[in-house]
Every structure is written in C-alpha cells, then in structure tokens.
C-alpha cells in the first residue's frame, strides 16, 4: 500500500472530525476531554501530509505553480475566516465596551493577516485566564499553518533545485528534528513562545510530510493493528493530558505520532474514522473550529460558562454555525471558478484581507470607538488603564536588584519607605500624596512578592527571586535610612488561600518555603512565625506600618460597570459583603495582630475608607476605585490618603 494516493482519504476526514470534536469539547470544559487541545496538533500533522503531497506530486508532474498553491490555500481559508472576523466586528459594535472592542479590532487585524500567533505570544499564555476572553484566540493555529504554507513550498522548491529530491527529503527530516529540539528547549524556558510560534511547531507539520515522503508497505493485518495503536495514542492524549502539562514538548509526540501512524496505515475500513457522522463533521471541521471559540467566549462573557444547559447550547450553536459557514461560505467559494488569471484572482483575496484588516485596525486606532457608548461606560472602562505610570521602571519582576525609585520631591530626604507586591505598586502614590509635596518616598516593589525572606511561589520561572530580594532588602535596611518609617503593603491572603477571582490550577498554598505542600495547621504556623519574624527584624531600627488587606472585589470593577451600562443602560456599584472580606482575611489579620503585639508594628486599616457596616465598595456612584478586581486605580487609591496620613500625625 502506498500513501501517495491522489484520491479522497476518508480516514483523514475522520481524523479531522476527531480533532475538532476534541478541541470543541475541551474548550467548553466538558469533563473527560482535558487534553482536547491536542486536536490542533492532529490538524497540523494532517496539513503537513496534504501540503507535502500537493507540492511533490505536482512538482514531479511539472504542474506545480506557486501562485496556484497560494490561491488554493486562500480559497480554502480566507472566505470563512473573513466572514467570522466581519461578523464579530459587527456584533462587537453593539455589545462590547471600548477596551474590548479595541482589543477585538487588534486581534481581528492580526487574525486576517495571519499574524495572530505572534500577537497572542506577546500578550499571554494560551492556558492563562487572561486569554479566555479573546474572541479570536483560536486563530493562532491558522496563522501558524498559513506561515507554514508560505515558507514550505519555497524551501522545497529551492532544495530540490539545489540538492535534488532525495537530499531534499533528508533535509526535511533534519528540519523536523531541529524544530522538535527547539520545541523541547523552548517549552521549559519560554512556554508561550513554544506554544504559539512556527519554529517550535513546524516539526508537527513536517511529521505529516515525512509520512508522505517515506511510505511503507503493510500487510492488511499489520495495518489494522497499527491503526488501532494510532487511535489509542490519540485517545490517550485527549483523555489523559491536561493544561498543567508542559505543552508542546515530549508529550506532544503522543498525538503527533498517533496521527502520523494512522495516516501511514491509510486504513479506510476503521469504524472510528470511516462512518457517515465522522465524514460529515470532518468536512465541516474548519468552519466548526472557527465558530466554536467565539461561542466559548460568549458563555464566559455572560457568566454562564459553568452552566450545563449553556454549554450544551454553545456546542450546538458551534455545530450549526459551522455547517452554515460550510454551506453558505466555504463551499460556494470552493466551487467559484473565476475566469481570470491566477495572479489577479489571488490579488482579490489579498484585497479582502487588506480591507478587513484596515477596518479592524481602524477600530483599534480609534480606541474601540468610545462614541458608541455612554459617557459613564466610557469613563468606567478607561479606569482599566489608570495604573501607576512608573510601574515599568520601578516595579520589578525578576532578579534581586531594585531600582529604588524615589517618588515625590526628588531632592528631599526620604521620609517613608514603601515595600511590597503589586498592591503596593497600586497604592504607593497614595502614600506619596499623604506624605506631602515636600517629602520623598523610597519604593521597593516586586511582583507577587510577600514580604517574607526566602518565600517561593508555585508556577513562577527561575528568574523569579522574590525570597532573595526580600532577604537582601531587609539586610540593607539594617544600615540604610535608620529611623525612616517603612510601610508594608501585600495582597497577603492570596499567597495562603490562592486567587478568589479565578480557580488556581495549583494545589495547596501558592507560597511555600521548602517544597509545595498542603494548607494545614503546620503550614499556617510556619507562615505566622516567618511573617512575625520578618516584621520584627525590620522594626528593630525603624517604625513599621503594615497595611491590612485591600478588599478583593472578585469581579473586574471597570469592566463590570461599563458592561452593565452598555447592556442595560444603567450601572450598579460593585461590592462584596463586609463579612466576606473579614472571612477571607481572618487568618492573615490574626498574623498581623501577632506581629503588632510582638514588636510594636502599627496596622493601617483601609476598611473604614472602603467599607460601611454591610459592604466593601469597588466603585462609588459608578466610578471605579479599582483598575481590575483587586488593584486600586490611581484615582481610587486616593481614598486611602487619610489612612497613610496617620503615619505623620
């Protein structure tokens, strides 16, 4: 049996069905499909096999046209993608708040320009919570494939001309090995780059190409066994892997090898890949893939992503929209045979890309077109970016050396020191203003850094050295600026109990000292001793003020207010019950009280300024006090000026 079969491959169509089902059910959070993201890897192998076949067969026959190749890919991919981008831009005009619409414009331009993988790589990791609200996140894989389509035939044509067919095959194998080695290296050092970028994904498509280039003769019995084994590998990856695994990496070999093995066997009799349902879903797989992710985001946007009924409706809508796209967009363009030369025909698709890209870019440049929404919604939404303007220069994320920024009057003696994590970065300007215009403030801030020497944090890279940073600064403070008061500001409870705005993938406390462990009484006692010891050490030669926890709103305050204004024409203040605030922070408050009793540190309480007898407020009369769900904005933090003035009073 030769895999160089020019006829229709029902097994490949069945593989497409498996891949899209896995991806869709994974993204909708259906239990049992924790590794469904591997469906994209299946698509990559299939693409590599088919593209290699087209290029080599047509080159051997003397019929290969580079323009024709690109035109065929454009007819296959661009119409449905263009329709999706236009649909989202049109719907977003009426539904999205300015910041969200601006982001959609940026992503639509990147998607239709097949650069979305680069855009998303520079923003956040694929599995990060921050990525779950991006309407076109899934187009990263289309960008990778299109970049492969652009480069691959050029490489093959050049290599065949220079080295001949046999050496070209060898070079493609070497290229696959180099790409795989790079994938392994980058997966542990820069996971986001390894996930999104072509150089670390090319080996998966080249694996499909290698299957075409090196066909194998198999007896029927051996082919059946190999087919079952390949399906088992794919099933294993879909059912057993999850988002906590390093991906891609060694584990990506499982679905890639399984897919390659199935394509190699070319088993046209398997009941899994060769049936009417898989044939139908496989044919619509591209359009289903395009439409499913916006449905996933839509459920999250309206807060029903955990509803079984909503999930079922989302899956159904994805399939229906996918089939509609297949029949009314994909198929007509595939059948459309414009009687013009290939270059002008291809240019027409390029023009479509440019027009949609220009429209999407205009949305981005116009800041999401704020004139679409009310002034209240626009002002609330703008608070999302009202952050400390000095963060980039003064708030560090790696290493142990602080830039030791001075706020306030630069040439005045330092009158107060602020030390802490991102909550200190969000509040330091309130301390500066409380000190007054004639005083200066020294700032020592580090991301996700509880002020305890030697602390470590789950999920952080090796460049994160908060524990050493704190130890170093405490040592320096023994001889630096004696007597100058120091204000400690931390989001303390998150290190012990995890985030309350989303579900942590880690188990146990986020912060640990030796090895990650359980949140038990032994851990709490160790935390208490280390915290009290750290505060007492700092307090030996200066007054120490510890800021009690800032209320965490759970919901993104500016976004919630702006969305309510757009949806319902009215905004409602974001609050949490005071009892919830006290319950969340009961443990760390008791630890702070112990430190106060042990070494005389003073506690600064934001509760009277942010809470009443029943609620803690994230906004007042529709004006946000936070730029997200737990960080105070530059306008909101001014509510705390009276709290910090007590340092000098």
């Amino acid at each position: 049996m030769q895999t160089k079969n020019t006829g229709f491959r029902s097994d490949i169509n069945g593989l497409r069905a498996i891949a899209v089902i896995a991806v869709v059910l994974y993204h909708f959070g259906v239990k049992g499909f924790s590794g469904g993201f591997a469906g994209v890897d299946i698509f990559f192998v299939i693409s590599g096999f088919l593209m290699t076949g087209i290029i080599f067969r047509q080159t051997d026959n003397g019929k290969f046209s580079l323009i024709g190749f690109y035109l065929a890919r454009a007819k296959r991919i661009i119409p449905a993608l263009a329709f999706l981008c236009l649909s989202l831009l049109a719907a977003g005009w009426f539904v999205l708040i300015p910041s969200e619409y601006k982001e959609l414009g940026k992503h639509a331009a990147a998607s239709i320009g097949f650069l979305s993988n680069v855009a998303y790589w520079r923003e956040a990791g694929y599995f990060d919570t921050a990525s779950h609200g991006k309407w076109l996140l899934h187009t990263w894989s289309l960008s990778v494939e299109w970049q492969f389509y652009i480069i691959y035939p050029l490489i093959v044509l050049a290599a065949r001309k220079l080295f001949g067919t046999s050496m070209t095959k060898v070079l493609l194998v070497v290229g696959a090995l180099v790409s795989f080695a790079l994938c392994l290296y980058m997966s542990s050092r820069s996971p986001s780059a390894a996930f999104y970028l072509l150089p670390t994904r090319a080996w998966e498509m080249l694996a499909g190409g290698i299957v075409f280039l090196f066909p194998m003769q198999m007896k029927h019995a051996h082919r059946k066994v190999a087919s079952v084994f390949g399906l088992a590998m794919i099933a294993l990856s879909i059912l057993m892997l999850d988002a906590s695994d390093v991906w891609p990496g060694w584990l990506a070999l499982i679905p890639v090898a399984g897919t390659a093995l199935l394509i190699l066997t070319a088993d046209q009799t398997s009941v899994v890949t060769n049936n009417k349902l898989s044939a139908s879903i496989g044919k619509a797989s591209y359009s289903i893939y395009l439409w499913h992710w916006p449905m996933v985001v839509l459920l999250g946007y309206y807060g029903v992503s955990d509803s079984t009924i909503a999930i079922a409706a989302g899956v159904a809508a994805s399939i229906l929209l996918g089939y509609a796209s297949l029949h009314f967009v994909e198929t007509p363009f595939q059948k459309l045979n414009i009687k013009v030369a290939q270059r002008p025909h291809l240019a027409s698709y390029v023009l479509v890309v440019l027009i949609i890209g220009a429209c999407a870019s205009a949305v981005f440049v116009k800041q999401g077109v704020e004139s679409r929404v009310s002034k209240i919604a626009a002002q609330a939404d703008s608070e999302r970016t009202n952050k400390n303007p000095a963060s980039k220069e003064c708030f560090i994320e790696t290493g142990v050396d602080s830039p030791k920024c001075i706020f306030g009057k630069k040439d005045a003696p330092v009158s107060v020191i602020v030390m802490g994590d991102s909550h200190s970065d969000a509040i330091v300007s309130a301390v500066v203003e409380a000190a007054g215009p004639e005083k200066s403030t020294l700032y020592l801030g580090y991301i996700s850094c509880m002020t305890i020497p030697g602390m470590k944090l789950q999920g952080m890279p090796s460049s994160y050295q908060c524990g050493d940073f704190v130890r170093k600064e405490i040592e320096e403070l023994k001889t630096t600026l004696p007597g100058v008061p120091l204000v400690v500001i931390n989001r303390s409870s998150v290190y012990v109990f995890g985030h309350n705005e989303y579900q942590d993938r880690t188990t146990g406390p986020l912060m640990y000292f030796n090895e990650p462990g359980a949140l038990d009484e032994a851990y709490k006692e160790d935390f208490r001793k280390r915290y009290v010891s750290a505060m007492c050490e700092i307090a030996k030669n200066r007054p120490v003020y510890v800021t009690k926890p800032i209320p965490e709103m759970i919901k993104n305050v500016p976004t919630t207010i702006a969305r309510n204004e757009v949806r319902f024409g009215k905004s409602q203040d974001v609050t949490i019950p005071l009892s919830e605030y006290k319950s969340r922070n009961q443990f760390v408050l008791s630890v702070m009280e112990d430190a106060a009793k042990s070494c005389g540190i003073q506690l600064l309480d934001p509760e009277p300024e942010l809470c009443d007898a029943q609620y803690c407020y994230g906004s007042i009369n529709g004006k946000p006090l936070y730029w997200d769900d737990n960080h105070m904005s530059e306008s909101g933090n001014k509510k705390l000026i009276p709290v910090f003035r007590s340092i000098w009073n």
Side-chain angles (χ1 to χ4, degrees):
M1 184 278 303
Q2 296 288 325
T3 59
K4 292 186 179 182
N5 183 355
T6 59
F8 176 76
R9 291 277 300 267
S10 59
D11 58 318
I12 290 179
N13 214 36
L15 274 172
R16 288 196 183 104
I18 292 172
V20 78
I21 290 170
V23 172
V24 168
L25 296 182
Y26 165 72
H27 281 150
F28 275 103
V30 177
K31 290 183 179 180
F33 291 84
S34 60
F37 51 83
V40 172
D41 304 82
I42 296 173
F43 279 127
F44 283 163
V45 179
I46 293 172
S47 290
F49 174 80
L50 295 176
M51 294 310 105
T52 302
I54 291 170
I55 295 168
F56 275 81
R57 278 196 300 264
Q58 292 184 1
T59 304
D60 290 341
N61 296 333
K63 296 180 179 179
F64 183 77
S65 163
L66 192 62
I67 299 298
F69 178 83
Y70 293 150
L71 177 59
R73 307 284 74 70
K75 288 178 66 176
R76 173 78 172 95
I77 294 174
I78 291 176
L81 176 61
F83 182 71
L84 173 68
C85 290
L86 283 175
S87 299
L88 291 177
L89 287 169
W93 178 275
F94 300 100
V95 175
L96 300 182
I97 62 179
S99 61
E100 295 167 340
Y101 199 45
K102 175 186 175 182
E103 183 178 64
L104 175 61
K106 173 186 174 182
H107 293 161
S111 297
I112 199 65
F114 299 104
L115 292 170
S116 61
N117 61 325
V118 177
Y120 293 127
W121 160 55
R122 299 180 66 177
E123 292 176 359
Y126 177 80
F127 299 106
D128 295 346
T129 303
S131 295
H132 294 173
K134 298 174 180 178
W135 297 89
L136 290 164
L137 177 69
H138 61 319
T139 64
W140 74 270
S141 63
L142 303 183
S143 295
V144 170
E145 287 197 21
W146 188 261
Q147 291 159 17
F148 181 77
Y149 296 158
I150 293 292
I151 297 171
Y152 189 49
L154 298 176
I155 293 174
V156 172
L157 292 176
R160 292 190 72 168
K161 186 174 182 179
L162 293 172
F163 308 112
T165 301
S166 297
M167 183 55 67
T168 297
K169 294 180 179 180
V170 173
L171 290 174
L172 292 178
V173 173
V174 172
L177 294 174
V178 170
S179 173
F180 180 60
L182 182 63
C183 171
L184 296 180
Y185 177 81
M186 295 295 290
S187 291
S188 59
R189 288 163 177 79
S190 182
S192 188
F195 188 93
Y196 283 120
L197 301 185
L198 175 62
T200 51
R201 289 290 193 167
W203 69 275
E204 298 180 296
M205 287 167 277
L206 289 172
I210 290 169
V211 171
F212 177 85
L213 295 173
F214 299 94
M216 293 177 59
Q217 295 283 355
M218 285 189 188
K219 294 181 179 179
H220 177 73
H222 293 166
R223 188 161 62 246
K224 296 295 294 184
V225 171
S227 175
V228 171
F229 192 65
L231 283 171
M233 294 175 73
I234 291 174
L236 178 67
S237 63
I238 293 171
L239 302 177
M240 302 301 293
L241 298 173
D242 61 50
S244 65
D245 292 314
V246 176
W247 195 266
W250 286 105
L251 290 173
L253 278 172
I254 302 174
V256 169
T259 305
L261 188 58
L262 274 171
I263 295 174
L264 184 65
T265 62
D267 184 3
Q268 306 299 301
T269 61
S270 170
V271 295
V272 177
T273 57
N274 297 271
N275 59 74
K276 290 183 178 180
L277 181 61
S278 65
S280 177
I281 294 176
K283 188 176 181 181
S285 59
Y286 173 53
S287 281
I288 292 173
Y289 180 80
L290 282 181
W291 280 97
H292 89 281
W293 179 252
M295 295 300 103
V296 173
V297 176
L298 188 67
L299 297 191
Y301 192 81
Y302 286 99
V304 293
S305 54
D306 293 329
S307 165
T308 302
I309 295 175
I311 290 171
V315 172
S318 302
I319 295 171
L320 290 174
L321 288 169
Y323 274 98
S325 174
L326 171 67
H327 290 293
F328 297 112
V329 182
E330 271 197 81
T331 301
F333 273 92
Q334 285 292 301
K335 293 181 178 179
L336 188 63
N337 187 18
I338 301 176
K339 295 183 178 180
V340 296
Q342 286 185 339
R343 290 178 186 272
H345 193 175
L346 180 60
S348 67
Y349 285 100
V350 174
L351 183 61
V352 169
V353 168
L354 292 175
I355 291 173
I356 296 175
C359 293
S361 298
V363 170
F364 176 76
V365 171
K366 292 292 185 180
Q367 303 294 311
V369 196
E370 289 186 352
S371 59
R372 298 177 300 112
V373 302
S374 70
K375 187 176 181 180
I376 294 175
Q379 288 179 339
D381 187 41
S382 67
E383 203 69 11
R384 295 171 71 254
T385 58
N386 191 12
K387 308 175 185 178
N388 183 352
S391 289
K392 187 174 291 187
E393 297 80 26
C394 302
F395 188 54
I396 64 173
E397 301 182 9
T398 60
V400 296
D401 297 320
S402 170
K404 293 182 168 56
C405 288
I406 299 294
F407 292 85
K409 191 174 182 179
K410 304 294 184 182
D411 56 353
V414 173
S415 62
V416 65
I417 305 166
V418 176
M419 186 175 185
D421 56 15
S422 60
H423 276 207
S424 73
D425 177 64
I427 293 172
V428 63
S429 63
V431 180
V432 174
E433 193 158 332
E438 297 302 314
K439 294 183 174 68
S440 70
T441 301
L442 171 63
Y443 180 57
L444 307 171
Y446 202 111
I447 191 171
S448 301
C449 189
M450 186 71 181
T451 310
I452 301 178
M455 71 149 285
K456 302 173 185 176
L457 206 64
Q458 291 199 59
M460 299 301 279
S462 59
S463 58
Y464 172 83
Q465 300 178 51
C466 160
D468 294 332
F469 166 81
V470 174
R471 183 180 288 112
K472 176 176 178 288
E473 293 301 337
I474 291 179
E475 189 64 28
E476 288 184 3
L477 287 171
K478 291 179 179 179
T479 56
T480 302
L481 301 172
V484 174
L486 182 141
V487 181
V488 177
I489 305 173
N490 289 133
R491 187 185 179 186
S492 305
S493 291
V494 76
Y495 300 100
V496 181
F497 302 108
H499 297 86
N500 58 352
E501 69 270 29
Y502 62 85
Q503 184 66 44
D504 285 308
R505 291 200 300 266
T506 55
T507 57
L510 293 183
M511 185 178 73
Y512 64 97
F513 301 100
N514 298 312
E515 295 293 334
L519 178 58
D520 51 23
E521 291 305 315
Y523 174 87
K524 290 183 177 180
E525 186 60 29
D526 187 38
F527 176 95
R528 187 183 300 271
K529 288 180 178 178
R530 289 175 183 268
Y531 184 82
V532 172
S533 175
M535 295 303 105
C536 291
E537 185 67 24
I538 300 172
K540 286 180 178 178
N541 66 340
R542 71 187 67 252
V544 173
Y545 297 82
V546 173
T547 306
K548 290 183 179 180
I550 301 297
E552 301 155 296
M553 291 295 115
I554 303 176
K555 296 179 180 179
N556 186 298
V557 178
T559 298
T560 300
I561 292 174
R563 283 181 179 177
N564 285 340
E565 182 68 23
V566 170
R567 291 177 189 172
F568 311 117
K570 61 180 181 178
S571 58
Q572 183 176 353
D573 283 328
V574 177
T575 64
I576 60 168
L578 177 63
S579 58
E580 185 176 313
Y581 165 73
K582 290 183 177 295
S583 175
R584 163 78 167 169
N585 297 291
Q586 181 180 5
F587 170 69
V588 297
L589 285 170
S590 72
V591 173
M592 291 175 179
E593 294 287 354
D594 281 356
K597 294 174 184 177
S598 298
C599 43
I601 69 169
Q602 298 184 56
L603 303 182
L604 302 175
D605 192 358
E607 181 187 319
E609 305 301 328
L610 302 177
C611 310
D612 59 20
Q614 289 184 297
Y615 298 101
C616 294
Y617 290 83
S619 61
I620 297 177
N621 297 325
K623 183 171 177 58
L625 302 178
Y626 294 69
W627 59 258
D628 64 354
D629 56 86
N630 67 90
H631 296 91
M632 300 201 76
S633 67
E634 285 300 287
S635 58
N637 69 30
K638 301 306 181 286
K639 291 277 293 180
L640 301 182
I641 290 175
V643 177
F644 295 117
R645 277 187 179 148
S646 64
I647 296 172
W648 291 274
N649 294 340

